[in-house]
Amino acid sequence: MQIDGKQYLSVWFENERVKMIDQNKLPFEFRIAEYSNYLEICDAIREMTVRGAPAIGAAGAYAIALAAQNAPEEKFRAYLRTARDELIATRPTAIDLRNGVNYVYEQTIKFIPDYRHSRQVAILAAREFAKKSIDDCYQIGKIGSEIVPQGARILTHCNAGALATVDWGTALAVIRIAHQQNKDIFVYVDETRPRFQGARLTAFELEQEGIPHTIITDSASGFYFWKKEIDLVITGADRICLNGDIANKIGTYEKAVLAKEHKVPFYVAAPFSTFDLTTKEGADIPIEIRDEDEIKRINGTYLANPGSPALNPSFDITPAKLITGIITPKGIFKPKDAARQVQI
Ligand code: MRU
């Protein structure tokens, strides 16, 4: 992605360190965070310095690679197993994290007891996982841009952009490429309470690319559907089940219901790392519940009644029947058929 004219990935490996754009600071400050052990990356994922399903998948992959560099030879396998389990536990909903961590772990342990080789393979495997994510997202953008009509007014939720992936984005890859094709699009950006991924990150990415957009509150999209000012909805996903149900940022389900009511197509864009072939349906997906303080306070200042409790589910489930199609790197599929493409 371009930030102030310079090219960046959201997360990468350089000089024995994992580096990432600090997404908690954007758009007010541009900071690169650097880590030299996997425990620091566990914290970065939990605190959402890096966030977005494919981006935490890549961060997890690099974190295991880092763990392999630091693991003492006498307990190499046990150290890696602990690192794997701790990384996967940091955020329970996005399956890309488990997929990224497990991929590098499996490649690495194959070469035990040749620890030198294991360590080299760990880095190569993490780089390969991240590169595949970039390629997949680019394909999603190219394929998905075909369903974007000229002059489309598109609603998106949360940040499914280059920041949420390694590069390009998922929903935003489609939007980026449609814009590059001069389709004269306009984007409604849900602010995405409570962490404002839409208002901070999606709006920032769109501004950087010169893509016309406006931020709206999460509750405003119904009004714009009603005014017939939304032609298309595109979101990302944190997990896609065998039956085509998806988990995505809290509020996504409401958008899908509104889209159905207003006969507006609702698309989900995701790379193969977001598919979970072991989970049958949405009801089986663990939903991350985050701290109530994210709702009640901003930068330490209360904006809600301090004595009241608050519920903060980070994701919700959108059933397959509300999804027009899933945009994957291999094509656009009906939700019920999408998971089958991963196995091919
Ligand atoms: O809690 P977050 O910010 O990690 O949630 C991110 C989302 O819900 C995104 O929509 C999803 O990961 C898809 S990103 C390409």
Side-chain angles (χ1 to χ4, degrees), residues 174-202:
V174 175
I175 287 169
R176 267 195 170 87
I177 293 182
H179 173 73
Q180 288 170 7
Q181 293 166 346
N182 296 318
K183 285 201 167 161
D184 197 21
I185 56 170
F186 183 85
V187 186
Y188 287 95
V189 180
D190 281 339
E191 64 176 346
T192 318
R193 283 275 293 153
R195 294 188 66 111
F196 300 101
Q197 291 94 328
R200 292 188 299 112
L201 306 175
T202 300

Side-chain angles (χ1 to χ4, degrees), residues 154-172:
I154 305 168
L155 173 70
T156 191
H157 191 67
C158 194
N159 171 262
L163 290 162
T165 58
V166 184
D167 203 358
W168 289 99
T170 56
L172 281 204

Side-chain angles (χ1 to χ4, degrees), residues 265-280:
F266 180 97
Y267 283 93
V268 170
F272 292 129
S273 59
T274 305
F275 283 79
D276 179 3
L277 302 182
T278 64
T279 299
K280 216 172 97 220

Side-chain angles (χ1 to χ4, degrees), residues 79-136:
Y79 186 97
L80 271 195
R81 213 183 294 129
T82 305
R84 177 195 66 187
D85 296 346
E86 287 182 15
L87 280 159
I88 289 174
T90 52
R91 293 197 75 189
T93 304
I95 198 66
D96 308 61
L97 177 60
R98 189 176 81 188
N99 288 337
V101 168
N102 278 340
Y103 179 71
V104 176
Y105 174 82
E106 297 297 339
Q107 298 301 312
T108 306
I109 60 167
K110 272 187 200 163
F111 298 95
I112 295 173
D114 184 347
Y115 300 110
R116 213 172 91 91
H117 194 44
S118 287
R119 289 190 171 107
Q120 283 169 347
V121 165
I123 308 268
L124 289 175
R127 286 209 162 109
E128 184 195 350
F129 186 85
K131 166 84 168 64
K132 168 110 175 62
S133 183
I134 298 172
D135 294 346
D136 276 4

